[in-house]
Amino acid sequence: PKLCWHNVLCTVYICLIAASASGGLLSGSFVLAMRSLSPLVPLSFAHAVTASQWGIILDCGSSGTRARVFSWPEKGWSITEADVELEIEPGISSFANNPEALTAYLAPLLDQARLAVPDPSTTKVRAFGTAGMRLLSEMEQVPIWSAVEAAITASGFEFAAAHTIAGGYEGLFNWLTNKYVLQTTLGKDVFLGCLDYGGASFQVTFAPASGVIQDFGYRLRVDSSQERVYSYSYMRSGQDQAMLRYAKALASRSQESPILDSPCHNQGFNFSMNVAGAGERTLRGTGDYSKCKELTQALLNQQNECLLEPCAAQGVYQPPPTGVKFWARGALFFTANGLGLVDWGDAKALSTNQISAKGAEFCAKPWADVASKYSQSYCFSSAYIVAMLNAYAFPPSDETAVVYSRKLHGFSTGWPLGAQLFFIAEAKVDIALDNTMMGPAAKSCSPAEPARCSFASTDCAAGTSCSCIATSMKGNTQERRVLFASQQAGQTMTDSSTGGEASCYCLP
């Protein structure tokens, strides 16, 4: 059975455990145009006029706040997004010592958002903070959210929510966005994944091809259908926070020196900053990409003990991404674009080897040749992205696994659309207690001969597929390995490995 993402009668149940963000600058010009964004339901531009429901999601990221405006009809719905540029800097977390100033900060954003909707008084506004806010204490967050609520209410909108969301929610909402937008272009056997490199955190979210998720699992239920998704948010691993950790590591090696030679910046680059625990220091670029790769690799702390295998960065459990198609956004796209690997309006699959080669080429250039507001991060992020994706077990030469994009079918990538869909569908939250999406084992066999597991058409229901998992012991650790993923019921499956047992399951 397929997930019915467009049926307004569907009720979405999402089992969640854990979310992060972005920002920008208030647009100098305000352009409003309604764009039909449903890939399933044919729409005309008249839909924007006849829409009866409107909603706004405020993406309160670590570096700024964005307003995303959505509309949908009351019945037979398909969501549209207003094509408006509504961004302000800095992030609301920077108002921890002065929350009273948030009213004036948000006023221009909300005033322009009013122009995008027919009736602000019936338009629900939800403000969600991500990793930047999660870095603050609860005591620091409370007055900020009180001020945000007051600003929304004073603007004439219908206030709906204002709070910080957990990292897994951000990743899952981003996955929902991509699922909605890509569902007609993805094949039925394609497993979807999302990578989001923000300012303060890095999200990894995907549906494993094996269906096995031992931890950080989220169950998506739509009517009688369900899908399990892995989602984890790495805090202080977004571009800005990772750079601060990098500078701190440089300072720890340079002791009291006021000058920190930075291999992750171009020669000629100089920048003064306050380094945590080390005071004011100046980064001086040396443009040594090989050394930069070593230092960014160290930020992943892969020496941490892995207590639940397999692990990615920081000793955190992650299922293998094999067989999953990923879409990368945020600073992943901006870095690839800055290196000349993907055009601003394109979506393109790239390997980490391609990013590494272009990164080395960029880092070797003098700062005077590449200087701009954004290019100071390209050398660092090109090495850091490669280190992260290698840790996540992406093959370095695979030029198909990860697509880098800023827009998909006219949609802005990111979690706000997914969040709006979540609330339109009146989603509920429950807890996933099992570690697979599978039912009881249909057949079991030993793969020692090699083994052959054959399914008759009655073994798995129509519309389902078959997957076999080998279980064996490695020391004191139980290993689970996918032998056959997503084979159609009725096919014969063979494995030449020896030892252990293979259990085969019917998957939706």
Side-chain angles (χ1 to χ4, degrees):
K2 289 187 176 181
L3 293 176
C4 122
W5 300 99
H6 284 72
N7 186 346
V8 75
L9 298 178
C10 288
T11 303
V12 182
Y13 296 91
I14 303 190
C15 264
L16 305 156
I17 311 171
S20 186
S22 49
L25 181 66
L26 182 63
S27 173
S29 60
F30 180 82
V31 180
L32 173 61
M34 297 309 299
R35 176 184 294 134
S36 173
L37 296 173
S38 168
L40 287 187
V41 182
L43 293 175
S44 66
F45 286 101
H47 170 69
V49 178
T50 60
S52 58
Q53 305 290 323
W54 293 78
I56 295 176
I57 300 291
L58 295 185
D59 173 0
C60 302
S62 58
S63 59
T65 300
R66 295 189 179 101
R68 300 280 296 278
V69 182
F70 302 101
S71 64
W72 58 96
E74 188 171 351
K75 295 182 179 180
W77 68 279
S78 156
I79 198 167
T80 63
E81 180 183 359
D83 187 11
V84 295
E85 296 293 332
L86 297 175
E87 305 178 22
I88 51 176
E89 291 182 344
I92 63 172
S93 58
S94 63
F95 291 85
N97 296 323
N98 187 24
E100 298 81 8
L102 277 165
T103 299
Y105 160 82
L106 288 171
L109 185 73
L110 294 170
D111 285 347
Q112 292 203 46
R114 287 171 59 88
L115 303 177
V117 301
D119 184 1
S121 67
T122 61
T123 301
K124 291 184 178 180
V125 176
R126 294 178 171 90
F128 295 134
T130 51
M133 287 297 289
R134 293 198 297 274
L135 290 173
L136 300 182
S137 69
E138 183 178 352
M139 294 295 291
E140 291 173 314
Q141 291 188 43
V142 169
I144 290 177
W145 289 123
S146 295
V148 170
E149 178 180 352
I152 294 172
T153 302
S155 69
F157 284 107
E158 181 181 350
F159 172 78
H163 57 81
T164 304
I165 56 177
Y169 275 82
E170 182 182 2
L172 187 60
F173 289 161
N174 186 30
W175 190 90
L176 283 170
T177 293
N178 283 268
K179 182 71 174 181
Y180 181 88
V181 175
L182 295 169
Q183 59 189 315
T184 56
T185 57
L186 289 175
K188 65 178 181 178
D189 294 327
V190 174
F191 294 89
L192 172 65
C194 299
L195 301 171
D196 188 356
Y197 181 26
S201 64
F202 198 125
Q203 280 70 242
V204 183
T205 308
F206 63 100
S210 69
V212 178
I213 305 174
Q214 301 277 47
D215 205 354
F216 311 114
Y218 297 67
R219 188 192 307 278
L220 307 183
R221 291 181 179 174
V222 184
D223 286 345
S224 60
S225 301
Q226 65 178 12
E227 187 158 0
R228 283 182 55 86
V229 178
Y230 167 90
S231 187
Y232 189 83
S233 177
Y234 290 89
M235 279 298 296
R236 298 188 186 275
S237 297
Q239 182 170 270
D240 298 339
Q241 287 293 316
M243 180 67 74
L244 292 176
R245 293 171 53 220
Y246 163 76
K248 185 177 180 179
L250 291 180
S252 69
R253 300 178 181 210
S254 301
Q255 298 180 350
E256 300 301 320
S257 173
I259 305 296
L260 304 178
D261 284 337
S262 172
C264 293
H265 290 93
N266 304 77
Q267 284 190 355
F269 175 85
N270 287 278
F271 180 72
S272 294
M273 64 183 297
N274 186 50
V275 179
E280 191 76 12
R281 300 294 181 94
T282 298
L283 296 184
R284 180 174 61 191
T286 62
D288 186 340
Y289 192 68
S290 294
K291 187 64 175 177
C292 179
K293 288 174 69 175
E294 292 179 18
L295 292 171
T296 53
Q297 179 73 38
L299 295 176
L300 307 187
N301 294 316
Q302 288 187 280
Q303 76 282 1
N304 288 2
E305 183 180 6
C306 179
L307 299 177
L308 178 61
E309 295 184 344
C311 289
Q314 317 294 346
V316 174
Y317 163 80
Q318 178 198 288
T322 307
V324 180
K325 188 76 171 182
F326 282 81
W327 272 260
R329 68 167 305 274
L332 286 153
F333 171 82
F334 297 134
T335 300
N337 171 256
L339 295 176
L341 288 167
V342 56
D343 291 337
W344 188 248
D346 288 348
K348 184 178 180 181
L350 301 169
S351 70
T352 54
N353 280 347
Q354 290 173 296
I355 296 173
S356 183
K358 278 292 187 178
E361 180 183 313
F362 179 89
C363 290
K365 297 179 180 180
W367 176 242
D369 292 351
V370 298
S372 75
K373 175 182 177 181
Y374 301 106
S375 60
Q376 61 181 280
S377 66
Y378 294 158
C379 180
F380 171 83
S381 279
S382 64
Y384 184 64
I385 288 169
V386 169
M388 290 290 276
L389 268 58
N390 286 344
Y392 300 155
F394 288 95
S397 60
D398 192 336
E399 297 182 10
T400 63
V402 183
V403 177
Y404 293 72
S405 63
R406 183 180 64 91
K407 294 270 190 177
L408 290 173
H409 300 310
F411 249 131
S412 297
T413 59
W415 62 266
L417 169 64
Q420 186 65 73
L421 290 170
F422 181 90
F423 289 104
I424 292 173
E426 298 180 353
K428 298 180 181 179
V429 180
D430 61 10
I431 298 174
L433 298 178
D434 60 330
N435 65 0
T436 73
M437 64 181 287
M438 308 170 189
K443 303 261 184 179
S444 293
C445 61
S446 171
E449 297 237 343
R452 294 180 179 272
C453 304
S454 179
F455 283 79
S457 60
T458 56
D459 289 326
C460 289
T464 64
S465 58
C466 181
S467 182
C468 295
I469 309 295
T471 302
S472 60
M473 295 301 294
K474 181 179 180 181
N476 293 324
T477 304
Q478 184 184 72
E479 281 194 338
R480 304 186 75 180
R481 183 167 56 87
V482 179
L483 302 182
F484 316 99
S486 299
Q487 301 296 318
Q488 293 300 309
Q491 284 189 316
T492 297
M493 294 158 288
T494 304
D495 177 61
S496 59
S497 64
T498 60
E501 289 187 351
S503 296
C504 303
Y505 304 84
C506 294
L507 301 179

